[in-house]
Amino acid sequence: MNLKSVSSNRSDPAWLDLQYNNRALVPEHAAHFERWAAASAQARQGLPCLLDVAYGHGPGETLDVFPAPRKHGRPPAPVLVFIHGGYWRSLDKSDHSFIAPAFVKQGACVVIPNYALCPAVTIPQIALQMTQALAWVYRYIGTHGGDPQRITLVGHSAGGHLAAMMLACQWSLVGQDLPDALVQSAMSISGVFDLEPLRHTPFLKDSLRLTPRQVSQASPAGFAAPPLQDGRGELIAVAGADESDEFVRQNQLIQSAWGKEIVPVCETLPGLNHFSVLEALVDPRHRLHKLAKQLLKD
C-alpha cells in the first residue's frame, strides 16, 4: 500500500465514507442485527438479570446486570463489562444481551451499560458517562456476586474506543473511593483511537459534530500510555481482517501509540468483518473468545 497516497486520501470525503461506513461495506449487516436481537431476547428470557439499573440520573444512564451463577463457597466472580458500538449515535444495550450467556456460563458476572447518543451529547460526554458506569460497577457489583477487584472491559467499535478511554482514566478524579487500577484489563474489538478522520467523514459529521478540541480530548492514540498498575491495565486490540484499511490501521495505531507493554496483542482476525467479529467473541471455539476468557482469568 502507498502510505503517501493513503495519507492524502484522508482528506477525501468520498474515501472516508468508503472506509468508515461499515453498514455499506457489509451489505448483509441487517442479518447480523437480526441475529443479535433474537439471541439477546433469548438471553434476557433465559438468564437471571437485572435490567435498566440506573448508574446516573441522565438520559441513557442505565445498565443491565447478568449475575454469575451463585454457589455456596464460590469466591466473587470476575466481571466483564461490555460496551456496545454504533458510532456513539445508534444501537442499545438491549441489542447486545447476547454477549452475556457464553461468559455467565463460565462463571463471570456480565454488565452491559447504555449511554446517551450523539448528537444529543458529545463523545467526551459519553466517555464521562462510562466513568460513572464503571464507578457504579466498582461500588455495587459485589451485591450481585461480582468481584470489584476483577473488572475487565470489552468494547466493540465505538465501545472499543470507550474501553481504551476507560483504561486511560484517572479514577481518583472520578471518585476518591476508586482505585487507580479500577480496570483490570480491556479488549477493544474494531476500535477507533484517532477521531480526526471522523470529523471529516460525511455520513458521520452531522451526528457526531466533532470539534478539534473534542478530537484531542477523546483520541486515545494521542494520550500518554497509561501505566501498568501491579500488572493490571493491559489492552488487547483486535479487528477483522475483512474490515476496511482504516479500521485495520486504527487497530494497529493504538499499539504504536501505547507500546507493546500496554498493548501486547494487536491482531487482525481472518475471515471476519465489522459485525461478524463481534459474533466471534461469543463462539467458544474462536481465538477471540479465548482471549477474552483469558483476560477474565488473569
Side-chain angles (χ1 to χ4, degrees), residues 47-55 62-68 77-84 93-94 96-97 99-101 103-104 108-114 130 132-138 140-142 144-148 150-155 296:
L47 290 176
C49 53
L50 292 85
L51 304 178
D52 299 320
V53 179
Y55 66 80
T62 60
L63 51 79
D64 296 342
V65 180
F66 295 83
V79 181
L80 186 148
V81 179
F82 177 82
I83 306 176
H84 75 79
K93 61 180 173 55
S94 64
H96 296 82
S97 304
I99 299 297
F103 294 101
V104 170
C109 177
V110 177
V111 180
I112 306 178
N114 247 5
M130 287 298 93
Q132 295 304 314
L134 269 291
W136 185 97
V137 172
Y138 179 79
Y140 301 112
I141 202 62
H144 307 289
D147 185 348
R150 301 172 66 194
I151 298 172
T152 292
L153 297 186
V154 176
L296 290 168

Side-chain angles (χ1 to χ4, degrees), residues 203-252:
F203 87 101
L204 293 172
K205 285 174 61 175
D206 290 343
S207 52
L208 300 188
R209 300 179 184 178
L210 279 163
T211 66
R213 183 181 181 188
Q214 291 167 3
V215 167
S216 178
Q217 289 174 328
S219 290
F223 300 171
L228 290 176
Q229 306 275 355
D230 298 324
R232 298 159 66 96
E234 289 186 346
L235 174 71
I236 288 176
V238 300
D242 292 349
E243 299 200 57
S244 71
D245 290 343
E246 273 294 272
F247 269 88
V248 172
R249 180 189 72 85
Q250 290 270 2
N251 189 60
Q252 295 167 344

Side-chain angles (χ1 to χ4, degrees), residues 283-294:
D283 181 351
R285 302 163 297 177
H286 201 279
R287 172 166 170 74
L288 183 56
H289 179 83
K290 294 174 182 176
L291 285 170
K293 185 178 177 181
Q294 187 59 51

Side-chain angles (χ1 to χ4, degrees), residues 160 163-164 167 185-188 193 233-237 254 258 262-265:
L167 203 61
S185 56
M187 173 184 284
S188 172
F193 307 106
E234 289 186 346
L235 174 71
I236 288 176
I254 196 63
W258 285 4
I262 303 299
V263 190
V265 177

